[in-house]
Each structure stands twice: as C-alpha cells, then as structure tokens.
Amino acid sequence: MTKGLLAERAREIEALLDEVLPPANAGPVPIHEAMRYAVLGGGKRLRAIMAVAACESVGGVGKQALGLAAAMEMIHAYSLVHDDLPCMDDDDFRRGKPTVHRKYGEAVAVLVGDALLTEAFAELARMPEKYGVDHHTTVAVMGELAFASGSHGMVGGQVADILGAQKAEAADQAVLLHYIHSHKTGALFKAALRCGGLIGGASPDQLGTLTEFGEHFGLAFQITDDILDEVGEAEALGKAVGRDREMGKLTYPSLFGLEKARAMAQESAAKCLAALEGLPVRSQVLQELALMVAERDH
Ligand code: GRG
C-alpha cells in the first residue's frame, strides 16, 4: 500500500499524466480515450516517483525530471497493456478494472501500447523546451530509456519469460530467472533512477549508486510480485492471482520456496537502504520505497 509521502507523490504524477496525455476528445477519439484508460486511474507510479527522487538525491531540481516521470509511466503502461493481451499473459483485469483489450478490443490495445511507447519518446524530446533540460542530457536519457525498454532490456526479458522458461535445464533455472526479471522488470526501474540522476547532474559514482539501488530494488520488487501472485489478495492487487502457477511459470517461490524467497526480497531491500548512503542528498522518498518494496500487499 502506498501511504503518506508516496501516495502524495502518486497523486502529483496522476495530475501530470492527465495533463500530458492527449485529451479524450482529440481525434482520433478511440485511441486517445483508450490511452487515457490505460494510463490514468490506478497504479502506484513507482517509476515516475523514483525518477524525480533520483534527480533530487544528487542535488538536482525534481521538477526538471517531470518529462521523464511521465514517459516512464507511459512506457510502463504500454508494457502492461501488451502483457495482458491474449497472446501473452491473457489477463482480464488490471488495476481493478477490465484490461484494455477486454474493454476496447485487441487491435486497439495493441495500438494503445504502440502509441504510448512512441508518445513517451515525444515527451522526452520536449524536455529542453518544457523543463530546461540541456540537449546533451536529453539525448542521453532517450538513449538509456530506449535501451532499457527494447530487446536488450524489458522486451528481451519478456521474450525470455514467454519462450525460454520451460526449455531451460534445471541447473540454468536460477540464471534464467535472474535474466528474465532483471530485464523484464528491473531494467525500467534502473533506467528511472539513472535517467533521473542524469537530469540531476549525477557524477559517475553517484550514477553507480543509483544503478545499485535500482538493481536491488528491481529484484526485491519482482520477488515480492511473485510471492503476491501465490499468496496475495486479488482485490488488493486489482488482478487475478495464481496465474504464474497456472501457466507453469518459473518464479522465485517456485524455484526457492516461499520462505527463502521472502528472505531474498528482504535482503535485497536492505541492500537498497544501504546504497542510499552513497548519495549526497538524503531522499526520504527513496528510503520509503526501499522500506516498502518487500512489505507491499499490491
Ligand atoms: C509486453 C514488452 C512487454 C513487456 C511486459 C511489465 C511487463 C513486461 C510485464 C508485466 C507482468 C508483470 C506483472 C511483471 C511483474 C512486475 C511488474 C511490472 C508489475 C507491475 O508493476 P507495478 O506493480 O504496477 O508497479 P502499477 O499498476 O502499480 O503501475
């Protein structure tokens, strides 16, 4: 549950997204309405909150990272819309409401994902004019986020998840599991932190610290996600539970057992907290994220 400070930041991001997304009455209406449905009205906004906090944690001005924050959520929402499609995880509910393809049909859902990904990069390109980010940093951020989202990052992890898991030899399963999640889930968290750091003017050492935080956070987040799929409440999660087991997916609890998986999540969360010592400005937001990541119920 995102409480207090994180909930307040999530509301600010919601208002930002409302403003950045094309209005529902702008033509072509069907795609813009569906894009707003996919992005607004739900979600913890972790990647956006993290991007702004990372910028501040190295002494930058958080407002300059708002274009990045919006782009992060648009890319994340695209990945969820596509992941829910019948050709992937085939889910009917997301964030407590029907998935985009259930509401608008598969063709529109595919196009919503395509449009959100593309518009995210258009929003990044507007960072110099809207938020005063210099051009060199803007290009660097666009490159990092493209790499993290594409076949070397999130898409690569998703492919391995869909095609690779069942084929791996037993001895390779832990390696494969780590690859899948550090790419499918971890890459975007890491990019949010690194890109926020770049906008805030991070030194190479500080970027290294943010990378470390991102890697530990991504792992703790994913292990907890797997645990919640086994033992969480569908109502709190806003989606069906038990899907991983149904689909025979390789997960942390299936490979290591629930107890060990819980201990691994807590260990990674503790490493996140420790990494914060390497940043010049104390970030209460990053601290709260590290405290929440292994304890969340949705
Ligand atoms: C389709 C290219 C492509 C990638 C899909 C994101 C993803 C990759 C799959 C989603 C499947 C899944 C449940 C992964 C576990 C980690 C994850 C991304 C959970 C959802 O993120 P939250 O909890 O979602 O931050 P909210 O709704 O809070 O924004």
Side-chain angles (χ1 to χ4, degrees), residues 20-275:
V20 166
L21 287 164
N25 61 2
V29 168
I31 185 81
H32 291 143
E33 191 191 311
M35 283 164 74
R36 295 179 71 85
Y37 179 85
V39 177
L40 300 175
K44 298 180 284 298
R45 310 300 181 202
L46 298 180
R47 296 151 190 81
I49 292 172
M50 209 173 242
V52 175
C55 174
E56 290 171 341
S57 76
V58 294
V61 178
K63 279 197 164 65
Q64 285 204 295
L66 290 179
L68 169 64
M72 291 304 319
E73 287 301 316
M74 289 159 81
I75 294 172
H76 170 56
Y78 125 71
S79 77
L80 298 178
V81 172
H82 280 191
D83 186 68
D84 289 335
L85 284 168
C87 61
M88 298 216 195
D89 268 8
D90 193 10
D91 276 309
D92 293 339
F93 284 93
R94 169 72 65 185
R95 295 175 170 170
K97 55 188 192 182
T99 45
V100 174
H101 67 273
R102 294 295 288 177
K103 188 160 168 81
Y104 295 98
E106 277 181 53
V108 170
V110 169
L111 294 167
V112 160
D114 295 343
L116 286 173
L117 176 62
T118 315
E119 288 302 317
F121 282 90
E123 185 59 15
L124 291 176
R126 288 189 280 267
M127 290 197 303
E129 93 193 54
K130 283 178 80 171
Y131 303 108
V133 178
D134 68 71
H135 287 86
H136 179 83
T137 305
T138 297
V139 172
V141 165
M142 292 174 82
E144 282 251 357
L145 205 42
F147 190 82
S149 307
S151 56
H152 302 285
M154 181 173 70
V155 169
Q158 177 78 348
V159 168
D161 193 16
I162 289 177
L163 304 179
Q166 285 79 10
K167 293 184 192 143
E169 296 297 322
D172 294 334
Q173 291 207 324
V175 175
L176 178 66
L177 187 61
H178 184 75
Y179 173 85
I180 290 172
H181 295 307
S182 60
H183 289 74
K184 185 178 98 166
T185 308
L188 273 199
F189 284 124
K190 195 162 77 174
L193 289 150
R194 287 180 54 85
C195 293
L198 286 173
I199 293 171
S203 69
D205 277 358
Q206 291 162 359
L207 270 187
T209 301
L210 290 169
T211 305
E212 207 184 309
F213 182 97
E215 285 172 353
H216 295 310
F217 186 92
L219 183 58
F221 183 90
Q222 183 60 53
I223 298 173
T224 309
D225 211 76
D226 287 354
I227 294 171
L228 288 173
D229 191 71
E230 291 256 338
V231 301
E233 299 288 333
E235 202 179 325
L237 288 163
K239 60 177 187 178
V241 291
R243 300 282 290 132
D244 292 343
R245 190 180 283 270
E246 250 171 66
M247 290 188 288
K249 280 214 175 162
L250 182 61
T251 68
Y252 285 92
S254 73
L255 194 59
F256 297 103
L258 265 177
E259 204 177 319
K260 171 101 194 285
R262 281 200 183 100
M264 288 167 78
Q266 276 155 8
E267 192 187 327
S268 296
K271 286 183 183 163
C272 280
L273 272 180

